[in-house]
């Protein structure tokens, strides 16, 4: 339940950013996109652990997956089969300055063993510093000029359509991308069963980093769901959950090791009450966060509220969101208060009817200039306002 801050204070900033969301050519059974390689599959994404995504003014779940979107390329789909691939050129500068020293290529790890920096030629010394993971090293030569090393990274993904066998559905996916002198590999699988009364599903993602080296890092997660109206049970476990597993670099934003969470929810619509309620336990091994939530939808109005209490932190988080769909546009707003004296708010208005094929949006969100760090209103840090036009063609 901790949230970060930024240094800048003062009035909200403005940002106007036109974006193209998709561009493709299409036939009867096939589609080819030209805007980039596809993300790898993420079948076991958590539906329980919600973390605030300041860049999108939304809450998203932790996960274990490779991210292939960094590589420019193409994506092709044929009758449900999807393949994609791309390349991106990397360039690393080695400043050779003194004898008997090395330039180490790698990254630092914190006390929990998590990567804390993007790998680069960052260290010049005789020996690698403590907690620095060495991927490669170059001997510094006295009197030589700086040398730039060009590296071509790649990524590729493949996904099957969903195969249906009576009441059972299965699907598979894979992704591969280059790491420095090695590769990162992701494998995904899912199976689901459904009939008129109940449904159940299990999905898993496996991440292998450093394939081709002596030591391979392994992460995996499993998500299971069981539903028998009006009750749904979710469970999620990850060896090392993250919100930013990168395909082309080691993980730079690792979350929690051995994350285990569970949720029980009930939809009261079958009793003619338009309300959903849930109780949950997040990260019961480590942070031990327990909470309740409720949501209601009446016609075009949607309201959500939640309360979380962290046993280890002895702190609570209260959140609420509301949205209303008018004929021509949608308005939404949200607020979150943390007992550690942090207050966050967001609001937006958007329309898809003024310009065919385009989404116009005006949004306020508590994000910093880099779009990653939340800003605390109690510290007079006011976030920014974005005006965007997203076009799909």
């Amino acid at each position: 339940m901790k949230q970060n801050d930024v240094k800048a204070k003062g009035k909200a900033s403005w940002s106007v950013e036109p974006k193209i969301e998709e561009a493709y050519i299409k036939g009867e059974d096939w589609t080819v996109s030209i805007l980039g390689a596809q993300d790898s599959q993420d079948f076991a994404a958590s539906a329980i652990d919600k973390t605030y995504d300041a860049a999108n003014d939304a809450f998203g779940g932790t996960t274990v997956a490779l991210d292939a979107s960094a590589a420019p390329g193409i994506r092709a789909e044929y009758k449900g089969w999807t393949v994609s691939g791309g390349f991106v050129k990397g360039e690393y500068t080695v400043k050779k300055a003194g004898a008997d020293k090395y330039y180490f290529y790698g990254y630092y790890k914190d006390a929990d063993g998590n990567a804390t920096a993007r790998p680069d030629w960052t260290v010049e010394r005789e020996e690698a510093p403590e907690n620095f993971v060495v991927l490669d090293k170059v001997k510094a030569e006295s009197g030589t000029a700086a040398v730039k090393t060009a590296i071509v990274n790649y990524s590729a993904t493949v996904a099957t359509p969903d195969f249906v066998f009576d009441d059972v559905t299965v699907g598979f996916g894979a992704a591969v991308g280059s790491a420095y002198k090695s590769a990162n590999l992701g494998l995904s699988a899912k199976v689901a069963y459904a009939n008129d009364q109940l449904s159940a599903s299990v999905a898993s993602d496996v991440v292998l980093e450093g394939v081709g080296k002596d030591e391979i890092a392994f992460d995996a997660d499993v998500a299971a769901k069981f539903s028998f109206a009006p009750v749904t049970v979710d469970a999620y476990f990850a060896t090392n959950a993250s919100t930013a597993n990168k395909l082309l670099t080691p993980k730079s934003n690792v979350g929690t090791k051995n994350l285990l969470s569970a949720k029980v929810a009930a939809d009261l619509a079958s009793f003619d009450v338009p309300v959903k309620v849930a109780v949950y336990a997040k990260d019961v091994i480590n942070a031990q966060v327990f909470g309740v939530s409720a949501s209601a939808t009446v016609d075009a109005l949607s309201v959500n509220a939640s309360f979380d209490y962290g046993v280890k932190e002895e702190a609570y988080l209260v959140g609420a969101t509301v949205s209303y769909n008018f004929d021509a546009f949608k308005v939404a707003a949200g607020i979150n208060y943390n007992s550690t004296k942090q207050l966050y708010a967001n609001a937006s208005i958007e329309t898809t009817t003024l310009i065919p094929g385009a989404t116009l949006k005006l949004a306020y969100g508590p994000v910093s200039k880099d779009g990653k760090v939340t800003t605390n209103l109690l510290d007079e840090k006011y976030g920014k306002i974005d005006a965007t036009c997203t076009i799909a063609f």
Side-chain angles (χ1 to χ4, degrees):
M1 295 192 297
K2 292 181 178 178
Q3 307 210 37
N4 296 323
D5 247 334
V6 294
K7 297 180 180 179
K9 293 186 178 182
K11 63 182 180 180
S13 61
W14 286 79
S15 174
V16 179
E17 181 183 1
K19 296 186 295 185
I20 298 176
E21 188 174 67
E22 185 62 280
Y24 55 83
I25 55 176
K26 187 174 183 180
E28 181 178 355
D29 295 321
W30 58 271
T31 300
V32 177
S33 171
I34 60 176
L35 286 189
Q38 176 176 302
D39 289 349
S40 62
Q41 286 64 49
D42 191 8
F43 294 157
S46 172
I48 305 166
D49 295 275
K50 298 299 182 180
T51 54
Y52 186 67
D53 180 357
N56 297 307
D57 299 324
F59 284 85
T62 52
T63 190
V64 170
L66 291 180
D67 181 1
S69 61
I74 63 172
R75 182 179 75 250
E77 181 177 349
Y78 177 72
K79 291 186 176 180
W81 289 85
T82 303
V83 296
S84 73
F87 298 88
V88 58
K89 182 179 178 181
E91 191 173 66
Y92 304 96
T93 300
V94 185
K95 298 178 181 179
K96 298 182 177 181
D100 301 324
K101 288 187 177 181
Y102 294 91
Y103 287 90
F104 293 96
Y105 177 78
Y107 56 95
Y108 286 93
K109 281 191 174 184
D110 60 21
D112 296 323
N114 299 326
T116 59
R118 181 183 177 88
D120 207 342
W121 296 97
T122 55
V123 182
E124 178 195 354
R125 57 173 68 194
E126 295 180 6
E127 300 291 339
E130 186 178 0
N131 299 324
F132 189 83
V133 178
V134 178
L135 300 180
D136 198 7
K137 66 179 182 179
V138 172
K139 182 69 176 293
E141 298 177 6
S142 178
T144 58
V147 177
K148 290 186 176 181
T149 302
I151 299 175
V152 177
N153 292 318
Y154 64 86
S155 72
T157 67
V158 60
T160 71
D162 288 341
F163 301 109
V164 180
F165 307 95
D166 295 328
D167 295 333
V168 178
T169 302
V170 296
F172 304 93
V176 63
S178 57
Y180 188 76
K181 294 187 178 180
S182 64
N184 298 329
L185 176 66
L187 302 172
S188 300
K190 61 182 179 180
V191 58
Y193 173 84
N195 60 26
D196 294 337
Q197 295 181 314
L198 62 88
S199 63
S201 64
V202 177
S204 180
D205 302 296
V206 175
V207 174
L208 301 174
E209 292 187 336
V211 177
K213 289 184 172 292
D214 294 335
E215 295 185 5
I216 299 176
F218 171 88
D219 286 321
D221 63 351
V222 179
K225 184 175 183 179
F226 173 84
S227 180
F228 187 83
V231 177
T232 300
V233 179
D234 281 286
Y236 178 79
F237 174 77
T239 59
N240 211 346
S242 173
T243 56
N245 279 332
K246 296 300 181 183
L247 181 65
L248 302 179
T249 64
K251 292 189 292 291
S252 58
N253 184 22
V254 181
T256 305
K257 293 183 179 179
N258 297 321
L259 185 146
L260 174 64
S261 301
K263 178 175 72 172
V264 179
D267 187 349
L268 305 181
S270 58
F271 302 101
D272 295 325
V273 179
V275 175
K276 297 179 181 180
V277 295
V279 295
Y280 46 82
K282 302 178 183 179
D283 194 12
V284 296
I285 298 176
N286 304 292
Q288 299 177 3
V289 177
F290 301 92
V292 296
S293 66
S295 62
T297 301
V298 180
D299 296 327
L301 176 67
S302 296
V303 180
N304 299 272
S306 63
F307 176 84
D308 287 14
Y309 179 76
V311 176
K312 290 292 184 69
E313 293 185 13
E314 296 183 350
Y316 65 85
L317 173 66
V318 180
T321 62
V322 59
S323 66
Y324 193 90
N325 287 308
F326 293 91
D327 291 337
F329 57 91
K330 175 183 177 180
V331 294
I335 190 168
N336 290 275
Y337 176 74
N338 192 313
S339 61
T340 57
K341 305 302 180 183
Q342 295 173 319
L343 179 65
Y344 305 86
N346 62 277
S348 66
I349 179 171
E350 65 178 276
T351 177
T352 58
T353 60
L354 291 182
I355 302 176
T359 299
L360 303 178
K361 184 174 182 179
L362 184 66
Y364 163 75
V367 296
S368 67
K369 185 177 180 180
D370 60 9
K372 297 180 180 179
V373 184
T374 55
T375 53
N376 185 3
L377 295 177
L378 298 181
D379 283 345
E380 298 181 3
K381 299 172 182 177
Y382 300 132
K384 70 173 183 176
I385 299 171
D386 286 307
T388 61
C389 175
T390 303
I391 301 173
F393 62 90

